[in-house]
Amino acid sequence: MEASQDKKSFGHENLINLLKRLLETKDDMDIDAFTGVLLEFMNMFSHMGSVMSFAFSDITTKCAIIQTHKKNYQDKINGLMSLIELEVKMNVQMLNGENNSDFTKDPALKKYESATRNILRMMWFLDYEDELFAQLLANKEEKDMTPPCKAAYEKALAPRHAMLVRAAARVAMSAAPNKEKGFKQLWGILYILLS
């Protein structure tokens, strides 16, 4: 996993390099680049206050699960798609460690946590990121991050969350900082473009 080593600053150069690596491996995405992008976004959210940071804190756990399966299946996979295909072939793609008895009776899979299930949720998170940036660009005059964060959440994640998760996430989105505080320290030149 390749997030910025410096946890005090958001590594936009690192993010760009990781995104380029993903484009180069689009047929079977580089797992390290994929999880690195996610962790870099998590690093970004850590600068947006403790509530926003907490709201997306499970990204680290999901990336660790994906990396664990990369290591466990290294001789059978090349990247993200081959990992998903392997888990589908094994019929373990729905296992999350809590619901496993609903899908399998195999005791060896009692605590298995599917990388595929976590990859899907991380793709939802990337949908949120895409929508958030679209909202920020469409509302350059908006000084408060709350409306763009809420709008992005409602479009990209709320339909996929249970009622209690939606309620908690809406509170977290309400705690978003203003643009100056949230992005000036993170983005530098991009802050100027979004202002």
Side-chain angles (χ1 to χ4, degrees):
M1 294 183 288
E2 296 184 29
S4 291
Q5 297 299 336
D6 178 6
K7 296 298 182 189
K8 295 180 183 172
S9 64
F10 171 67
H12 60 274
E13 296 93 358
N14 189 44
L15 179 62
I16 290 167
N17 290 332
L18 290 166
L19 288 168
K20 285 178 183 177
R21 278 180 49 198
L22 283 179
L23 284 174
E24 292 166 1
T25 62
K26 63 184 174 186
D27 292 334
D28 200 4
M29 287 184 191
D30 182 296
I31 292 173
D32 292 333
F34 180 75
T35 56
V37 165
L38 295 166
L39 292 171
E40 204 60 69
F41 278 127
M42 181 61 209
N43 189 12
M44 180 185 78
F45 278 108
S46 72
H47 291 280
M48 297 174 86
S50 59
V51 175
M52 287 292 285
S53 181
F54 179 75
F56 294 102
S57 62
D58 68 331
I59 291 169
T60 306
T61 303
K62 290 179 183 339
C63 287
I65 291 167
I66 295 165
Q67 283 289 331
T68 296
H69 289 306
K70 174 194 170 211
K71 182 180 175 186
N72 291 344
Y73 301 126
Q74 63 187 345
D75 58 335
K76 298 177 182 176
I77 65 168
N78 295 316
L80 210 60
M81 283 306 300
S82 54
L83 175 57
I84 292 168
E85 290 167 353
L86 176 65
E87 284 198 336
V88 169
K89 185 178 178 182
M90 294 168 54
N91 198 31
V92 296
Q93 71 275 11
M94 295 301 295
L95 302 182
N96 73 0
E98 296 172 7
N99 71 348
N100 294 7
S101 62
D102 296 340
F103 295 101
T104 183
K105 302 299 178 209
D106 185 345
L109 298 174
K110 184 176 181 180
K111 296 191 183 273
Y112 190 91
E113 293 188 72
S114 166
T116 302
R117 189 173 184 280
N118 286 291
I119 292 166
L120 175 62
R121 278 143 183 83
M122 293 299 86
M123 297 304 286
W124 295 347
F125 171 71
L126 292 174
D127 288 344
Y128 169 79
E129 288 294 319
D130 180 57
E131 186 60 31
L132 176 61
F133 289 117
Q135 290 288 328
L136 290 169
L137 289 170
N139 299 292
K140 290 181 184 180
E141 300 79 32
E142 180 70 55
K143 298 298 179 199
D144 186 6
M145 288 286 295
T146 298
C149 286
K150 280 185 169 183
Y153 176 79
E154 291 302 324
K155 185 171 180 181
L157 292 175
R160 298 167 169 149
H161 283 163
M163 183 177 63
L164 289 174
V165 174
R166 282 194 308 267
R170 287 175 177 141
V171 169
M173 298 304 131
S174 297
N178 65 42
K179 273 188 189 174
E180 186 170 358
K181 181 180 179 196
F183 281 142
K184 192 172 185 179
Q185 65 183 3
L186 300 175
W187 294 81
I189 191 74
L190 187 56
Y191 170 75
I192 294 167
L193 296 173
L194 291 172
S195 297

